[in-house]
Structures are given as C-alpha cells and as structure tokens.
Amino acid sequence: MGKQLPGLNTKLIEFIEAQPLFFVATAMEDGKINLSPKGMDTLKVLGNNRVVWLNLTGSGNETAAHLQKHPRITLMFCAFEGPPLILRLYGTARTLHKNDPDWEELYGHFEDFAGSRQLFDVSVNLVQTSCGMGVPYLEYKGERDMLEPWARNLGTEGLREYRKNKNSQSLDGLDTGLPPEK
C-alpha cells in the first residue's frame, strides 16, 4: 500500500512525466483552501527533491497569495490508467516572477506560453504514495486548446490589465504579490 519516501526515485519521476494532469493545494491558517487542477506541459522535475511549476494566467491566483504567508504546498498526481497509484509531493515553494533573477533559467525548461504568470520552485521534503485503487479509469483525449489562444488574443497589454483586475487579490482579499508589469 502507501509508502513515505524522502525524495523521488526514477520510477516516480517517470510516473510524473507521464501524467497529463496534477493537482496543487495550498492554505492559510484561516480562510479558503485552494485546490486546483493543472495540465499542459507546466511541471518539470529538476531533481529528487525539486520540481518547478509554470503557472499560467487564469481566473484566480490563490496559490501565490497563500505562499507569501505560508510557503507549504502539496502536489498530487493520480494514475487514471495502468496500475493504480496516487503520488503526493509535500514541500515548500517560492514564487518567481519575470523580473526575478532565477526566472530565465527556470523558465527555460518550458515552452513559451503567452499567459505565463509565475513560476513556483518547489522543494520537496516528503514523497508519499498510496494505492489509488479507488481512482477510476479515465481516458485522456488531449489538452483543451483554449487557454493559450485566449492569452495570445489578449496580448501583452490585455494580459497585464486582466492580471491587475483578476489576479492581484485572493478570494479572501489577500495580496497575491504580483509585481507591477511594465
């Protein structure tokens, strides 16, 4: 059944790289818990205890707000085909924006997405597997080709305005730490 490991091994890294979907969870001590599904090619494993996730512009920015106060984060992956497995990565994350010194190096691991908003550099301190026998089989049919065209259509100025209006505060009114965009 379940195991706890100090870091990722080759088999688990291969499992992560094969998943088209993962989930991100963050929380404050009070207020709403954030749990978000993520897709596209926005997560890279950089080592046994390090992953980086490229966050694209969307309707909210809860993760960034939570991480400013409590840098803890959990990422979860589920096998929807093949042998059952649930994989959780527990750790802490730091948020990087386009003007941060490490942005270019870490962003270089990803394709250039028009709506790129932040990077989350995750330091993994616990890896946990569990059986996943209750997770249903689901068929992956492909990515939705909507977010990237939407961001491209908004353009630089439109994305700047959208993030200012929709991504600068969390649901609980917390500042998300987005720097002013030039």
Side-chain angles (χ1 to χ4, degrees), residues 24-29 51 53 62-75 89-95 120-125:
V24 176
T26 57
M28 298 290 288
E29 58 285 311
V51 298
W53 157 45
E62 301 302 300
T63 302
H66 291 171
L67 291 176
Q68 286 191 99
K69 302 282 184 189
H70 296 282
R72 65 186 181 197
I73 191 168
T74 301
L75 305 178
L89 308 181
Y90 297 95
T92 57
R94 67 184 179 114
T95 307
F120 295 106
D121 188 3
V122 181
S123 177
V124 177
N125 56 42

Short mmCIF file of all heavy atoms in Angstrom, two decimals, residues 24-29 51 53 62-75 89-95 120-125:
data_model
loop_
_atom_site.label_atom_id
_atom_site.label_comp_id
_atom_site.label_asym_id
_atom_site.label_seq_id
_atom_site.Cartn_x
_atom_site.Cartn_y
_atom_site.Cartn_z
N VAL A 24 -2.76 20.96 -7.30
CA VAL A 24 -1.97 21.80 -6.40
C VAL A 24 -2.86 22.24 -5.25
O VAL A 24 -3.98 22.70 -5.47
CB VAL A 24 -1.44 23.04 -7.15
CG1 VAL A 24 -0.70 23.97 -6.20
CG2 VAL A 24 -0.57 22.65 -8.31
N ALA A 25 -2.35 22.11 -4.01
CA ALA A 25 -3.11 22.55 -2.84
C ALA A 25 -2.23 23.44 -1.97
O ALA A 25 -1.06 23.15 -1.74
CB ALA A 25 -3.58 21.35 -2.03
N THR A 26 -2.84 24.55 -1.50
CA THR A 26 -2.22 25.46 -0.55
C THR A 26 -3.30 25.96 0.40
O THR A 26 -4.49 25.87 0.10
CB THR A 26 -1.56 26.68 -1.25
OG1 THR A 26 -2.56 27.36 -2.02
CG2 THR A 26 -0.40 26.26 -2.14
N ALA A 27 -2.87 26.50 1.54
CA ALA A 27 -3.85 27.01 2.51
C ALA A 27 -3.19 27.99 3.46
O ALA A 27 -1.99 27.92 3.72
CB ALA A 27 -4.46 25.86 3.30
N MET A 28 -4.02 28.87 3.98
CA MET A 28 -3.64 29.74 5.08
C MET A 28 -4.13 29.05 6.35
O MET A 28 -4.78 28.00 6.30
CB MET A 28 -4.32 31.10 4.93
CG MET A 28 -3.92 31.85 3.66
SD MET A 28 -2.23 32.41 3.71
CE MET A 28 -2.35 33.72 4.91
N GLU A 29 -3.88 29.65 7.52
CA GLU A 29 -4.41 29.05 8.74
C GLU A 29 -5.92 29.27 8.84
O GLU A 29 -6.64 28.48 9.42
CB GLU A 29 -3.68 29.50 10.00
CG GLU A 29 -3.62 30.96 10.34
CD GLU A 29 -2.66 31.82 9.55
OE1 GLU A 29 -1.49 31.47 9.38
OE2 GLU A 29 -3.12 32.88 9.10
N VAL A 51 10.87 20.29 -7.90
CA VAL A 51 10.07 20.43 -9.12
C VAL A 51 9.78 21.90 -9.32
O VAL A 51 9.81 22.69 -8.37
CB VAL A 51 8.74 19.62 -9.08
CG1 VAL A 51 9.00 18.13 -8.94
CG2 VAL A 51 7.82 20.10 -7.98
N TRP A 53 6.99 24.49 -11.34
CA TRP A 53 5.69 24.54 -11.99
C TRP A 53 5.49 25.93 -12.55
O TRP A 53 5.66 26.93 -11.86
CB TRP A 53 4.61 24.15 -10.98
CG TRP A 53 3.24 24.63 -11.27
CD1 TRP A 53 2.58 24.60 -12.47
CD2 TRP A 53 2.33 25.24 -10.35
NE1 TRP A 53 1.33 25.15 -12.34
CE2 TRP A 53 1.15 25.54 -11.04
CE3 TRP A 53 2.41 25.54 -8.99
CZ2 TRP A 53 0.06 26.14 -10.44
CZ3 TRP A 53 1.32 26.14 -8.39
CH2 TRP A 53 0.16 26.43 -9.10
N GLU A 62 -4.77 32.14 -6.17
CA GLU A 62 -4.78 31.77 -4.75
C GLU A 62 -3.43 31.23 -4.28
O GLU A 62 -2.98 31.55 -3.18
CB GLU A 62 -5.86 30.72 -4.49
CG GLU A 62 -7.26 31.15 -4.85
CD GLU A 62 -7.70 32.39 -4.12
OE1 GLU A 62 -7.75 32.38 -2.88
OE2 GLU A 62 -7.99 33.39 -4.81
N THR A 63 -2.81 30.39 -5.08
CA THR A 63 -1.54 29.78 -4.69
C THR A 63 -0.52 30.84 -4.31
O THR A 63 0.14 30.75 -3.27
CB THR A 63 -1.00 28.88 -5.81
OG1 THR A 63 -1.96 27.87 -6.11
CG2 THR A 63 0.31 28.23 -5.43
N ALA A 64 -0.38 31.86 -5.15
CA ALA A 64 0.61 32.91 -4.89
C ALA A 64 0.31 33.64 -3.59
O ALA A 64 1.22 33.95 -2.82
CB ALA A 64 0.64 33.90 -6.06
N ALA A 65 -0.97 33.93 -3.34
CA ALA A 65 -1.34 34.63 -2.10
C ALA A 65 -0.98 33.78 -0.88
O ALA A 65 -0.41 34.27 0.09
CB ALA A 65 -2.83 34.96 -2.11
N HIS A 66 -1.32 32.51 -0.91
CA HIS A 66 -1.06 31.63 0.22
C HIS A 66 0.44 31.46 0.48
O HIS A 66 0.89 31.48 1.63
CB HIS A 66 -1.68 30.26 -0.02
CG HIS A 66 -3.18 30.28 0.00
ND1 HIS A 66 -3.92 29.19 -0.36
CD2 HIS A 66 -4.07 31.23 0.34
CE1 HIS A 66 -5.22 29.47 -0.26
NE2 HIS A 66 -5.32 30.72 0.17
N LEU A 67 1.20 31.28 -0.59
CA LEU A 67 2.63 31.02 -0.43
C LEU A 67 3.40 32.20 0.15
O LEU A 67 4.47 32.01 0.74
CB LEU A 67 3.25 30.59 -1.76
CG LEU A 67 2.81 29.22 -2.27
CD1 LEU A 67 3.42 28.94 -3.64
CD2 LEU A 67 3.14 28.11 -1.29
N GLN A 68 2.87 33.41 0.02
CA GLN A 68 3.54 34.57 0.63
C GLN A 68 3.58 34.47 2.14
O GLN A 68 4.54 34.91 2.77
CB GLN A 68 2.82 35.87 0.23
CG GLN A 68 3.07 36.27 -1.18
CD GLN A 68 2.56 37.65 -1.41
OE1 GLN A 68 3.33 38.61 -1.40
NE2 GLN A 68 1.26 37.78 -1.61
N LYS A 69 2.55 33.90 2.73
CA LYS A 69 2.46 33.79 4.19
C LYS A 69 2.89 32.43 4.69
O LYS A 69 3.48 32.31 5.76
CB LYS A 69 1.02 34.05 4.65
CG LYS A 69 0.46 35.39 4.25
CD LYS A 69 0.97 36.48 5.13
CE LYS A 69 0.30 37.79 4.73
NZ LYS A 69 0.87 38.92 5.36
N HIS A 70 2.53 31.39 3.95
CA HIS A 70 2.82 30.00 4.34
C HIS A 70 3.33 29.28 3.10
O HIS A 70 2.54 28.90 2.24
CB HIS A 70 1.57 29.31 4.88
CG HIS A 70 1.06 29.92 6.14
ND1 HIS A 70 1.65 29.66 7.36
CD2 HIS A 70 0.06 30.78 6.37
CE1 HIS A 70 1.01 30.34 8.29
NE2 HIS A 70 0.05 31.03 7.71
N PRO A 71 4.62 29.09 2.98
CA PRO A 71 5.16 28.54 1.74
C PRO A 71 4.90 27.03 1.52
O PRO A 71 5.41 26.45 0.59
CB PRO A 71 6.66 28.83 1.85
CG PRO A 71 6.92 28.90 3.31
CD PRO A 71 5.66 29.47 3.92
N ARG A 72 4.08 26.43 2.36
CA ARG A 72 3.82 24.99 2.21
C ARG A 72 2.90 24.74 1.00
O ARG A 72 2.03 25.54 0.68
CB ARG A 72 3.20 24.41 3.47
CG ARG A 72 1.85 24.97 3.75
CD ARG A 72 1.28 24.55 5.06
NE ARG A 72 -0.04 25.18 5.15
CZ ARG A 72 -0.72 25.32 6.23
NH1 ARG A 72 -0.24 24.87 7.35
NH2 ARG A 72 -1.89 25.89 6.20
N ILE A 73 3.14 23.61 0.35
CA ILE A 73 2.40 23.25 -0.85
C ILE A 73 2.35 21.73 -0.97
O ILE A 73 3.26 21.04 -0.49
CB ILE A 73 3.07 23.88 -2.11
CG1 ILE A 73 2.20 23.76 -3.35
CG2 ILE A 73 4.46 23.30 -2.34
CD1 ILE A 73 2.68 24.62 -4.52
N THR A 74 1.28 21.23 -1.55
CA THR A 74 1.16 19.81 -1.86
C THR A 74 0.77 19.67 -3.32
O THR A 74 -0.14 20.34 -3.78
CB THR A 74 0.10 19.12 -0.98
OG1 THR A 74 0.45 19.29 0.39
CG2 THR A 74 -0.01 17.64 -1.29
N LEU A 75 1.49 18.81 -4.03
CA LEU A 75 1.15 18.46 -5.40
C LEU A 75 0.70 17.00 -5.40
O LEU A 75 1.30 16.17 -4.72
CB LEU A 75 2.35 18.61 -6.33
CG LEU A 75 3.04 19.97 -6.35
CD1 LEU A 75 4.25 19.93 -7.27
CD2 LEU A 75 2.10 21.05 -6.78
N LEU A 89 3.43 15.06 -3.33
CA LEU A 89 4.70 15.71 -3.02
C LEU A 89 4.40 16.82 -2.03
O LEU A 89 3.66 17.75 -2.34
CB LEU A 89 5.34 16.31 -4.29
CG LEU A 89 5.50 15.40 -5.50
CD1 LEU A 89 6.16 16.17 -6.63
CD2 LEU A 89 6.29 14.15 -5.15
N TYR A 90 4.96 16.72 -0.85
CA TYR A 90 4.78 17.73 0.19
C TYR A 90 6.05 18.56 0.25
O TYR A 90 7.16 18.03 0.18
CB TYR A 90 4.57 17.08 1.56
CG TYR A 90 3.32 16.25 1.65
CD1 TYR A 90 3.36 14.87 1.44
CD2 TYR A 90 2.10 16.83 1.96
CE1 TYR A 90 2.21 14.09 1.53
CE2 TYR A 90 0.95 16.07 2.06
CZ TYR A 90 1.02 14.70 1.84
OH TYR A 90 -0.13 13.95 1.93
N GLY A 91 5.89 19.87 0.38
CA GLY A 91 7.08 20.70 0.47
C GLY A 91 6.76 22.16 0.67
O GLY A 91 5.68 22.53 1.13
N THR A 92 7.73 22.96 0.29
CA THR A 92 7.60 24.41 0.35
C THR A 92 7.93 24.95 -1.03
O THR A 92 8.63 24.32 -1.82
CB THR A 92 8.53 25.04 1.40
OG1 THR A 92 9.88 24.66 1.11
CG2 THR A 92 8.16 24.58 2.81
N ALA A 93 7.39 26.14 -1.31
CA ALA A 93 7.62 26.72 -2.63
C ALA A 93 7.94 28.19 -2.52
O ALA A 93 7.47 28.88 -1.62
CB ALA A 93 6.38 26.52 -3.51
N ARG A 94 8.73 28.64 -3.45
CA ARG A 94 8.97 30.07 -3.59
C ARG A 94 8.43 30.50 -4.94
O ARG A 94 8.48 29.75 -5.92
CB ARG A 94 10.44 30.42 -3.43
CG ARG A 94 11.34 29.91 -4.50
CD ARG A 94 12.81 30.22 -4.21
NE ARG A 94 13.63 29.69 -5.27
CZ ARG A 94 14.34 30.44 -6.12
NH1 ARG A 94 14.35 31.75 -5.99
NH2 ARG A 94 15.05 29.88 -7.08
N THR A 95 7.89 31.69 -4.96
CA THR A 95 7.27 32.25 -6.15
C THR A 95 8.27 33.11 -6.89
O THR A 95 8.96 33.93 -6.29
CB THR A 95 6.05 33.10 -5.76
OG1 THR A 95 5.18 32.34 -4.95
CG2 THR A 95 5.31 33.60 -6.99
N PHE A 120 6.65 28.49 -9.73
CA PHE A 120 6.73 28.05 -8.35
C PHE A 120 7.83 27.00 -8.27
O PHE A 120 7.73 25.93 -8.89
CB PHE A 120 5.39 27.50 -7.86
CG PHE A 120 4.32 28.55 -7.83
CD1 PHE A 120 3.31 28.56 -8.78
CD2 PHE A 120 4.32 29.54 -6.87
CE1 PHE A 120 2.32 29.54 -8.75
CE2 PHE A 120 3.34 30.52 -6.84
CZ PHE A 120 2.34 30.52 -7.79
N ASP A 121 8.87 27.32 -7.54
CA ASP A 121 10.02 26.45 -7.35
C ASP A 121 9.77 25.68 -6.06
O ASP A 121 9.82 26.25 -4.97
CB ASP A 121 11.28 27.30 -7.28
CG ASP A 121 12.56 26.49 -7.27
OD1 ASP A 121 12.50 25.24 -7.38
OD2 ASP A 121 13.64 27.11 -7.15
N VAL A 122 9.49 24.39 -6.20
CA VAL A 122 9.04 23.57 -5.07
C VAL A 122 10.18 22.71 -4.55
O VAL A 122 10.78 21.93 -5.29
CB VAL A 122 7.84 22.68 -5.48
CG1 VAL A 122 7.36 21.84 -4.30
CG2 VAL A 122 6.70 23.52 -6.04
N SER A 123 10.44 22.84 -3.27
CA SER A 123 11.40 22.00 -2.56
C SER A 123 10.60 20.90 -1.85
O SER A 123 9.81 21.19 -0.95
CB SER A 123 12.17 22.84 -1.55
OG SER A 123 13.04 22.03 -0.81
N VAL A 124 10.79 19.67 -2.29
CA VAL A 124 10.01 18.54 -1.78
C VAL A 124 10.69 17.96 -0.56
O VAL A 124 11.85 17.58 -0.61
CB VAL A 124 9.86 17.46 -2.88
CG1 VAL A 124 9.10 16.25 -2.36
CG2 VAL A 124 9.18 18.04 -4.12
N ASN A 125 9.95 17.88 0.57
CA ASN A 125 10.53 17.30 1.79
C ASN A 125 9.91 15.96 2.16
O ASN A 125 10.40 15.30 3.06
CB ASN A 125 10.49 18.29 2.96
CG ASN A 125 9.09 18.78 3.26
OD1 ASN A 125 8.14 18.03 3.25
ND2 ASN A 125 8.98 20.07 3.52
#
